[in-house]
Amino acid sequence: MNHLHKACLIAHKPVFYPRLLCAALVLLTAAGLSACGDKEKKPGQSLVSVNGEEITVLQLNEEMQRANVQGSQQEAASKQLLESLIDRQLLQNEAAKEKVDRDPKVVQAVERAKALIVAQAYMQKRIGTIARPTKEEVEDYFKKNPQFFSQRKQFDMKELVIASADMNDQLKAAMDTAKSLEDVASWLDANKVKYARTQLSRTSADLAPELSTKLLAMPKGQLFIIREGDRTLLISLSDVRDNPVSLALATPQIEQFLFNKKNKDTADAELKRLRAAAKIEYLNKDAIGKAAASTPVASVPVVAAASAPVSAPEPAAPAPAASASTESNDRGVAGLK
């Protein structure tokens, strides 16, 4: 996801994945936690015995809760989830036979998963129940951020997507002299460079404020380049127009944004407290540096600033993701002429 891409909130119904896929996804964790299966079982609690290993009502109920199964779907879902548990147990049994649970990588993955679960449970306990934002808080945020709402702008853009390996000085020179994105496409055709065309629209609520400011300063038809790993985007700004959103329409999204922010602020405060009270010693800084240098770093998306909630009434079409190491040519985002 890049700074031209917003996170869309999509309400979705429960989906029950194919049994084998579900079983495969949980294999590592199940194998590492096999020692936890020796708990005493009450009469009537067991549902199935798989090579002597029992699957219980409690396990099925846990799966049902995690799947967020609705009342009308519970009967069908319970049968499917029970079959998934059987598949999982079969895989876990085979993993134990082959001592997969003793593989150092598996042990490490299980310990990491366990640490995350315990840490999240502790944080949830500390955070407790966060109050929902008040009407006054929502209205205040709406008024203080007109660029996201009452003065929201929409940017329509056209793109040519090429492989970064095809981005060279000749193409940059062609873009410098091109009067339109079609001129660039003609150059790519003449030089047998493969590309894909896309169109997208983003609003000032979706983009980082600094990018919105630069786009607003661009003339229509301005060309610029964004690099994102192995892809490069050749972009033309085709139109900028007003696209305001009312308080009534924005309220649900502002409420969710402010609620998430309260949770984050509370969690950050707790971590700050724990760090202040702890004795933390970095024992081998050289090793830390070497580990960081030898580990490939994934492309980090550039997203909208924390003060920009998703406020568009309709989700926009997906845009290509861009990395934090976004680069531009002389006509690019960083230095437009």
Side-chain angles (χ1 to χ4, degrees):
M1 179 174 59
N2 68 357
H3 50 276
L4 300 179
H5 179 71
K6 76 176 188 177
C8 300
L9 302 176
I10 304 174
H12 55 281
K13 298 180 180 179
V15 177
F16 305 110
Y17 297 98
R19 290 161 35 204
L20 184 56
L21 177 59
C22 286
L25 290 176
V26 300
L27 173 58
L28 292 181
T29 302
L33 299 179
S34 59
C36 299
D38 298 327
K39 295 179 180 178
E40 181 181 353
K41 299 179 178 63
K42 298 178 181 179
Q45 188 182 36
S46 298
L47 294 174
V48 181
S49 175
V50 182
N51 294 328
E53 296 291 339
E54 294 183 351
I55 296 173
T56 68
V57 173
L58 292 177
Q59 288 174 281
L60 181 58
N61 287 343
E62 174 71 11
E63 296 298 315
M64 296 278 283
Q65 290 175 6
R66 288 185 178 276
N68 192 26
V69 178
Q70 303 301 312
S72 60
Q73 300 174 308
Q74 285 188 355
E75 184 177 353
S78 63
K79 293 178 181 178
Q80 188 170 356
L81 289 171
L82 180 59
E83 296 304 314
S84 295
L85 285 169
I86 292 172
D87 291 342
R88 182 191 305 179
Q89 188 63 55
L90 288 169
L91 289 169
Q92 183 177 340
N93 291 349
E94 291 304 303
K97 287 180 183 178
E98 298 184 12
K99 296 182 173 53
V100 172
D101 54 332
R102 300 182 187 180
D103 184 296
K105 291 183 179 179
V106 175
V107 172
Q108 186 176 23
V110 170
E111 288 302 315
R112 179 180 182 275
K114 180 180 177 181
L116 285 172
I117 292 170
V118 172
Q120 289 169 358
Y122 168 79
M123 188 61 77
Q124 186 60 48
K125 180 180 179 182
R126 291 291 300 184
I127 290 175
T129 302
I130 300 293
R132 300 294 299 184
T134 65
K135 180 181 178 181
E136 291 72 23
E137 288 174 323
V138 171
E139 291 179 354
D140 182 63
Y141 187 85
F142 181 88
K143 292 175 182 177
K144 288 181 177 179
N145 294 277
Q147 71 276 23
F148 302 143
F149 308 111
S150 59
Q151 298 176 20
R152 190 175 69 166
K153 301 291 184 180
Q154 179 167 320
F155 305 100
D156 297 330
M157 290 165 279
K158 296 179 180 179
E159 294 181 343
L160 301 177
V161 184
I162 66 171
S164 292
D166 292 326
M167 189 69 222
N168 52 37
D169 292 339
Q170 290 77 19
L171 178 50
K172 289 180 181 179
M175 286 195 69
D176 284 337
T177 59
K179 295 182 179 179
S180 69
L181 200 63
E182 287 305 313
D183 290 344
V184 179
S186 297
W187 187 95
L188 295 174
D189 288 333
N191 288 272
K192 302 187 185 310
V193 177
K194 294 181 180 180
Y195 62 90
R197 291 178 181 269
T198 63
Q199 294 187 15
L200 65 151
S201 293
R202 293 293 176 268
T203 73
S204 53
D206 311 325
L207 308 177
E210 60 272 17
L211 179 59
S212 293
T213 300
K214 289 175 180 177
L215 290 175
L216 284 171
M218 288 184 186
K220 293 180 183 179
Q222 175 69 59
L223 303 178
F224 59 97
I225 298 171
I226 293 178
R227 293 188 183 182
E228 51 143 80
D230 59 355
R231 300 194 313 168
T232 294
L233 314 178
L234 314 179
I235 305 176
S236 171
L237 179 64
S238 55
D239 195 15
V240 179
R241 47 201 166 92
D242 292 332
N243 187 6
V245 62
S246 67
L247 173 61
L249 189 60
T251 291
Q253 290 134 331
I254 295 176
E255 284 181 342
Q256 189 61 47
F257 168 78
L258 293 177
F259 179 73
N260 292 344
K261 187 174 184 300
K262 285 183 178 182
N263 275 280
K264 182 181 182 302
D265 290 347
T266 304
D268 288 346
E270 176 61 11
L271 283 172
K272 183 177 180 180
R273 183 188 72 81
L274 291 173
R275 280 180 168 266
K279 181 180 180 181
I280 301 174
E281 299 178 79
Y282 294 93
L283 304 176
N284 194 334
K285 294 182 180 180
D286 291 339
I288 295 172
K290 290 178 181 178
S294 63
T295 303
V297 179
S299 177
V300 180
V302 175
V303 298
S307 58
V310 178
S311 57
E314 295 291 340
S323 70
S325 58
T326 297
E327 300 176 18
S328 306
N329 70 347
D330 289 340
R331 296 171 60 99
V333 174
L336 298 171
K337 294 181 180 179

